[in-house]
Amino acid sequence: MRLQAGILLFALGVLSPAFAQSTTGSVPPPPPPPANVPLLAPVVVSGVVPGPGLWKVSKDGHVLWVLGTLSPLPRDMQWESRDLDRVIGQSQQVLLQPKIKLKADIGFFGKLFLLPSAYGARKNPDGKKLDQVMDASTYARWQVLKQKYIGRDRGIERWRPLFAAQELYKKALKANGLSTSGGVPGTVETLAKRYGVQETPVDYHVEIKHPRDAIKAFKAAAPSDLKCFSRTLDSVEHDLPEMTERANAWAIGDLATLRALPDSHRRDACVSAITNAGFAHQLGLDDVSEQLEAKWLATARAALANDRTSFAMLPMGELLSPTGYLAKLQAQGYTVESPEQQDAAPATAGSVPTPAVAGSTTAQ
């Protein structure tokens, strides 16, 4: 049974997936957004949007189409991608987003006894409050943002900075018209079920044989999470306009802007707080990024070997990065084409704009 509480759930949320979103290099100026996409205050895309184009990975006549995902995204967008509909309708399988799954060897009654201990792991040791575990200037920033986005919640003052930062971030996204996923995974799942396409999980499993000991280890060697906390304050204070611009760029398919705008690296700081903590090695969390990458690459290679057409989702940073997952496939001999490269090349059989293959259907 999966452990459903405390630090392990939080670690799962931060580390699934744990990818950098930044890119380097010069880019051409972004094109203007389509005129039929309304922009509502505070400049968050709303209404029907096309989303980004799909990356194409191919070898020996087999194709894996890859959608770049992003977080956060506009909360009120209605994503309708004809390319996505057509590709999933032609695919033999859909590779789900890579995730880390934590499993604990624990029965029902054990779970009941574990929950209070896990809840205690969320709190600062010795009953300390946030103002007792950080400097006065950082705490003053927290108080301003807490009042704005969370309100009068006394309980959160006893949380570890790692958990308090995550709660603040979620509330700030919601208040600014953003959401963590924009409903993208749900849309892909709906299309896969509509066309009867196999959904293939890409999971790296971390088994925790002694969950009680794991929680004790967390309490004894908890993460140094003040960097994560401070970086989250920075993101909420200063990065929300750029987050919104990146979210809008994804919604309207503006890859030039996505290439140009760097990510805040808040996630990186929080991932490091988990993977560099004293308990991480005991739980098998210190090399999760490498393990997850190896798992996804192996699954993608298998799909490209066995399926004429398949589909996958990856964080946009892995598509844009010169050292990302697709760059690794390219180095292994696969042909990788961005949406811009496909637009510039002559149309070929099997490309997205062609009609669906015989026997498939397209949503009306």
Side-chain angles (χ1 to χ4, degrees):
M1 177 184 293
R2 293 179 197 165
L3 187 61
Q4 298 291 322
I7 177 60
L8 301 180
L9 266 185
F10 181 78
L12 178 59
V14 170
L15 296 171
S16 304
F19 304 117
Q21 297 285 343
S22 62
T23 58
T24 59
S26 60
V27 295
N36 61 342
V37 177
L39 295 180
L40 304 180
V43 200
V44 179
V45 165
S46 179
V48 178
V49 297
L54 303 179
W55 266 251
K56 181 181 180 182
V57 183
S58 58
K59 188 174 185 180
D60 299 331
H62 294 209
V63 178
L64 171 67
W65 295 100
V66 185
L67 171 70
T69 60
L70 190 71
S71 181
L73 285 175
R75 185 181 61 221
D76 296 328
M77 72 176 188
Q78 301 173 43
W79 180 41
E80 291 185 9
S81 170
R82 293 183 180 180
D83 289 350
L84 180 78
D85 187 288
R86 192 176 296 122
V87 162
I88 291 181
Q90 296 179 19
S91 294
Q92 283 75 65
Q93 66 173 316
V94 167
L95 308 188
L96 301 180
Q97 293 224 63
K99 292 182 179 179
I100 298 162
K101 291 292 181 70
L102 299 173
K103 300 194 302 181
D105 183 12
I106 180 173
F108 175 73
F109 288 103
K111 179 180 177 182
L112 292 180
F113 285 110
L114 182 64
L115 285 175
S117 180
Y119 181 79
R122 189 176 67 177
K123 295 182 178 181
N124 284 309
D126 302 323
K128 290 183 178 180
K129 297 183 180 180
L130 288 174
D131 62 348
Q132 296 174 290
V133 298
M134 63 185 62
D135 62 83
S137 61
T138 301
Y139 184 73
R141 294 172 62 201
W142 156 257
Q143 281 289 289
V144 172
L145 295 173
K146 176 196 170 188
Q147 181 62 35
K148 182 176 181 179
Y149 293 113
I150 299 177
R152 298 180 62 183
D153 183 342
R154 295 181 180 178
I156 200 172
E157 290 293 325
R158 296 189 180 275
W159 291 11
R160 293 182 184 271
L162 196 68
F163 294 98
Q166 184 73 352
E167 183 69 12
L168 173 66
Y169 182 73
K170 291 192 302 182
K171 292 293 179 64
L173 292 187
K174 183 177 180 180
N176 285 273
L178 301 169
S179 72
T180 54
S181 71
V184 170
T187 299
V188 170
E189 180 180 2
T190 296
L191 289 173
K193 285 181 168 51
R194 176 184 302 171
Y195 294 115
V197 181
Q198 172 187 329
E199 296 177 85
T200 303
V202 186
D203 300 334
Y204 171 62
H205 292 272
V206 178
E207 185 174 1
I208 303 171
K209 295 184 178 180
H210 305 289
R212 290 176 184 270
D213 293 340
I215 289 177
K216 290 179 181 178
F218 171 74
K219 289 181 176 181
S224 300
D225 48 7
L226 287 178
K227 184 176 180 180
C228 166
F229 186 82
S230 295
R231 193 65 198 90
T232 301
L233 297 186
D234 291 342
S235 291
V236 175
E237 283 178 330
H238 308 299
D239 299 339
L240 279 168
E242 284 194 351
M243 288 185 201
T244 300
E245 191 173 354
R246 283 168 56 82
N248 287 345
W250 187 97
I252 63 178
D254 182 356
L255 292 177
T257 294
L258 288 175
R259 294 181 191 276
L261 286 176
D263 183 73
S264 69
H265 298 297
R266 182 200 71 88
R267 178 183 288 271
D268 293 346
C270 296
V271 165
S272 295
I274 296 291
T275 57
N276 294 336
F279 69 95
H281 180 71
Q282 178 178 334
L283 301 187
L285 294 174
D286 49 350
D287 64 346
V288 288
S289 295
E290 293 81 3
Q291 295 288 349
L292 198 59
E293 176 185 283
K295 177 73 172 182
W296 189 89
L297 290 174
T299 306
R301 288 193 297 265
L304 281 159
N306 300 323
D307 300 326
R308 195 73 177 177
T309 304
S310 51
F311 171 83
M313 293 180 287
L314 282 177
M316 185 64 73
E318 289 299 329
L319 278 59
L320 300 178
S321 171
T323 59
Y325 284 18
L326 295 195
K328 299 283 176 61
L329 285 178
Q330 190 170 33
Q332 294 170 7
Y334 295 87
T335 300
V336 177
E337 300 171 72
S338 70
E340 301 102 323
Q341 291 171 320
Q342 297 170 56
D343 290 342
T348 58
S351 60
V352 171
T354 60
V357 295
S360 68
T361 59
T362 302
Q364 300 298 317

